[in-house]
Amino acid sequence: MSAGSTYERLLGESQSGGLEHADGGGVPSPPDPERLITQLSDEVGRLEERLGTRADPTARNLLMHGAEDALREVADNGADAQLDMRDIARLEAVVHSDGTRPVLFVEDDFFDVTAPAAANWAASLSRIQAELRTVCRAVGRVNDPAALLGYQGTAWAIDDGVVVTNYHVLEAISTHPSRTDGEFGGELKPGVAVDFGAEIGGGPSDRVFRISRVLGVGRAGAPEHAHPTIPRINFDGLDLAVLELDRVRGRPFPTPVQVARGDDPATHGALASRGRGVYLVGFPGSAASTRPDVFAELFAGVKGVKRLTPGLLTEGRGEVDKDARRWIISHDASTLGGSSGSLVVDLEAEGRKVLGLHFAGVPDRVNWAHGLEGATSELAAAIPGW
């Protein structure tokens, strides 16, 4: 699917019934550039008010004019639209602000249900408020004092004092990393920790726990299965690391999340199916992102804060090309560098089962996660008693 057709579909959803269209009803309308630019401007103004600071005027001017040009290109040419990386970044800002695939800042373990960008998703997310708060509390930023932005990705609590992240995040916080048969070789950098606060406006300061050791890692993919065009992507491998945290007297660990299991007799390992509503919680904003974060360019203070991003599973287990192990799923929620390690949570049913571990994406909005129903045995091997 071309970037033009992807954004033509997304931009038409909010004008054709939003989630109703996402579930199969209606036909997307052509994008309305004037209306969408107004919504983007309103969202920037709302963030200025919320953060108590003005957006960088040069960056704001470039965003508005660039977004308008990119929207007209999509409106005029549809799937044949010619879009470069900056065009895609500006269209990302549009779909964030018009409510199609928003990026919602987490505050007090929830999100602002009155935010205009949340409109299409507020009812679904509010219905699972208790579960969503538990999930948000369980997600932390992987702090690295040596990193350019001070962090390397996202981790989340799967057991008492135990978190899951990507192996490539573990590589970034280690010296001389290596892995063989689920065993990790290397040493953790000094001061690396998981911060379960790190919300917009600061968040709680008593949720930081030092990473003490590596319990297990996913297998490396066979070289012959490396992706033919995207560096470091290999669907034969499992981009997963399980880490143990140091205890702090008088400071409880977050409540672990529930993970969908492949051996669950009620679901038969098929919960992560195409079209299912999901949400991610993580910390986008890495300097190495393939999609520039235009809001971080406008407001430096939003880098590295916890965000919630809803969307849909676009491919279920067994549907992703070249996934012989059936442990890859794809989704269309908004992600950026730093989102690595984010959990992909079921928005339907009870709204609390973790379906996947996000690990990669490419600029035309293809996002991959490990479907954890396909990695149950690997997780069980790394976590005693899980």
Side-chain angles (χ1 to χ4, degrees):
M1 181 180 289
S2 69
S5 59
T6 297
Y7 286 98
E8 184 180 38
R9 173 181 65 84
L10 288 170
L11 294 165
E13 278 185 16
S14 66
Q15 303 175 134
S16 307
L19 294 183
E20 292 180 6
H21 167 68
D23 289 334
V27 176
S29 302
D32 179 354
E34 185 174 347
R35 181 183 70 84
L36 293 167
I37 288 296
T38 297
Q39 288 180 325
L40 177 57
S41 179
D42 289 346
E43 177 67 9
V44 174
R46 181 180 173 279
L47 280 173
E48 288 181 323
E49 182 178 343
R50 172 66 188 81
L51 296 169
T53 185
R54 302 290 292 178
D56 179 272
T58 301
R60 179 171 184 160
N61 187 56
L62 288 172
L63 170 61
M64 294 304 169
H65 285 91
E68 185 172 8
D69 290 343
L71 282 167
R72 296 200 182 281
E73 175 69 17
V74 173
D76 292 344
N77 298 302
D80 296 323
Q82 298 298 306
L83 303 170
D84 61 23
M85 287 288 292
R86 296 306 308 180
D87 292 328
I88 289 174
R90 289 156 182 162
L91 290 173
E92 282 293 299
V94 172
V95 299
H96 295 174
S97 63
D98 83 336
T100 307
R101 294 295 183 271
V103 176
L104 305 171
F105 293 98
V106 174
E107 189 169 13
D108 190 24
D109 302 316
F110 203 53
F111 71 100
D112 183 0
V113 296
T114 67
N120 290 351
W121 299 88
S124 297
L125 292 168
S126 296
R127 177 179 55 82
I128 57 165
Q129 180 175 165
E131 293 82 2
L132 195 151
R133 287 186 181 277
T134 297
V135 170
C136 286
R137 280 193 292 270
V139 177
R141 187 178 65 192
V142 181
N143 288 349
D144 176 6
L148 178 62
L149 295 178
Y151 75 105
Q152 297 285 7
T154 301
W156 44 273
I158 192 172
D159 202 4
D160 192 44
V162 177
V163 296
V164 167
T165 188
N166 293 137
Y167 177 73
H168 76 261
V169 173
L170 172 60
E171 285 184 303
I173 62 171
S174 306
T175 56
H176 310 297
S178 65
R179 55 178 168 174
T180 304
D181 298 329
E183 297 290 332
F184 176 69
E187 295 183 358
L188 293 167
K189 294 179 183 177
V192 291
V194 177
D195 182 354
F196 293 99
E199 297 177 347
I200 190 170
S205 60
D206 61 349
R207 298 189 189 179
V208 182
F209 299 88
R210 191 178 70 86
I211 301 170
S212 59
R213 66 184 178 120
V214 180
L215 296 178
V217 294
R219 54 166 286 155
E224 61 268 25
H225 292 291
H227 197 283
T229 60
I230 305 175
R232 304 193 69 190
I233 298 298
N234 188 326
F235 290 163
D236 184 55
L238 183 61
D239 193 355
L240 174 144
V242 182
L243 313 176
E244 187 173 51
L245 307 178
D246 270 349
R247 295 187 178 276
V248 178
R249 185 183 296 275
R251 187 184 299 178
F253 291 123
T255 300
V257 297
Q258 296 182 16
V259 176
R261 298 178 62 106
D263 55 6
D264 186 341
T267 60
H268 303 285
L271 198 57
S273 56
R274 180 196 294 260
R276 198 166 187 89
V278 295
Y279 65 94
L280 279 69
V281 182
F283 294 85
S286 166
S289 174
T290 56
R291 298 189 194 114
D293 183 354
V294 293
F295 287 121
E297 294 176 4
L298 294 172
F299 305 100
V302 303
K303 291 181 180 178
V305 297
K306 193 178 298 188
R307 304 188 218 182
L308 183 153
T309 59
L312 300 174
L313 292 185
T314 51
E315 293 171 296
R317 286 183 58 221
E319 296 180 336
V320 178
D321 188 34
K322 304 186 186 307
D323 173 29
R325 295 188 176 275
R326 300 184 74 250
W327 59 17
I328 307 295
I329 56 179
S330 64
H331 66 87
D332 67 0
S334 297
T335 60
L336 293 164
S339 294
S340 291
S342 298
L343 36 55
V344 181
V345 190
D346 183 16
L347 180 53
E348 302 177 22
E350 297 175 334
R352 59 184 176 186
K353 284 282 182 73
V354 179
L355 303 179
L357 170 69
H358 175 79
F359 68 91
V362 292
D364 56 353
R365 203 171 248 279
V366 176
N367 296 306
W368 293 303
H370 286 296
L372 296 177
E373 290 167 305
T376 298
S377 60
E378 285 78 7
L379 285 169
I383 306 170
W386 188 75

